[in-house]
Amino acid sequence: MSNNDLLSRISIEPNICFGKPGIRGHRIWVYLILDYLAGGAKIEEVLEAYLSIEREDVLACIAYGAEMAQDVFVELPLNNKKEASA
């Protein structure tokens, strides 16, 4: 499935989910799925938590996050600690 096909699974509707990006046809925000994954959840665990979505919906959330990261930069705190040498 191409990136464009995946991204077509994401919608932004002003009157649904406060206009935040969500999975088309569901009231599930993209960032909720990304938070699950960032917390270490596997795709299968996300699908168990949200029974109404498909694997491609989770991949669409990842694709949307990747697209957003191309244009938006978030300042991260500097890590002044020296890394342990191997």
Side-chain angles (χ1 to χ4, degrees), residues 31-50:
Y31 81 83
L32 290 174
I33 302 302
L34 295 177
D35 277 349
Y36 258 85
L37 297 171
K42 296 177 181 168
I43 291 177
E44 291 75 22
E45 293 172 308
V46 174
L47 295 174
E48 289 173 11
Y50 295 96

Side-chain angles (χ1 to χ4, degrees), residues 11-84:
S11 67
I12 301 172
E13 301 288 335
N15 297 322
I16 298 175
C17 293
F18 308 103
K20 295 181 180 182
I23 298 172
R24 186 175 300 285
H26 304 276
R27 293 181 179 269
I28 301 170
W29 293 319
V30 168
Y31 81 83
L32 290 174
I33 302 302
L34 295 177
D35 277 349
Y36 258 85
L37 297 171
K42 296 177 181 168
I43 291 177
E44 291 75 22
E45 293 172 308
V46 174
L47 295 174
E48 289 173 11
Y50 295 96
L51 298 174
S52 64
I53 65 173
E54 301 173 350
R55 179 178 183 81
E56 289 77 11
D57 295 321
V58 177
L59 296 176
C61 292
I62 296 169
Y64 182 84
E67 286 292 320
M68 291 302 298
Q70 290 181 27
D71 295 325
V72 178
F73 299 95
V74 177
E75 283 198 40
L76 301 174
L78 294 175
N79 185 1
N80 292 328
K81 295 180 183 179
K82 291 184 180 181
E83 292 184 25

